[in-house]
Amino acid sequence: MTTTPVHRTDVVVVGLGAFGSAALWRLAARGVRVTGVERFGVGHALGSSHGATRLFRVACYEHPALAPLALRSLALWTELGERTGEVLVRQTGCLNTGAPTSAPVAGTLAGGAAAGVAG
């Protein structure tokens, strides 16, 4: 009789795109026994964070309280890039246009101020 070894895990992360893989990495770094499951395989082209260009905002116009989360996320992506020898985030700046009182422009300015980014 053949027995199958049992793999014990504390957390299963389903979906290993940008968010799932980051969650997997940080949980493992904390010593959590974690297993990741990806439906389409590593490096597939079906995720929301694929393609030549993607937006990473520190000055989040939706709410200024998102700025500290974005800064922490940027630090973690930078750390991961340094560990792997890959450039994962390339910051190039941002141009927002519109009336200063419009929600996107006013919100971006508030988010930038919360992040310590000049407007």
Side-chain angles (χ1 to χ4, degrees):
M1 177 193 314
T2 304
T3 59
T4 304
V6 174
H7 177 78
R8 300 205 184 276
T9 191
D10 298 316
V11 175
V12 175
V13 176
V14 179
L16 299 177
F19 291 104
S21 60
L24 188 82
W25 171 44
R26 298 315 301 163
L27 286 166
R30 291 179 178 176
V32 175
R33 293 177 301 182
V34 63
T35 299
V37 179
E38 173 55 55
R39 177 180 178 187
F40 298 109
V42 176
H44 65 81
L46 302 171
S48 63
S49 60
H50 298 282
T53 61
R54 288 296 171 242
L55 179 66
F56 187 103
R57 293 177 292 138
V58 172
C60 301
Y61 77 87
E62 296 85 354
H63 197 284
L66 293 173
L69 296 172
L71 288 169
R72 177 68 176 138
S73 177
L74 178 59
L76 290 170
W77 280 111
T78 301
E79 177 188 338
L80 183 59
E82 290 169 353
R83 287 181 178 212
T84 62
E86 299 286 334
V87 176
L88 301 177
V89 177
R90 181 174 289 122
Q91 293 182 280
T92 59
C94 177
L95 172 65
N96 286 10
T97 61
T101 57
S102 68
V105 174
T108 298
L109 289 170
V117 178

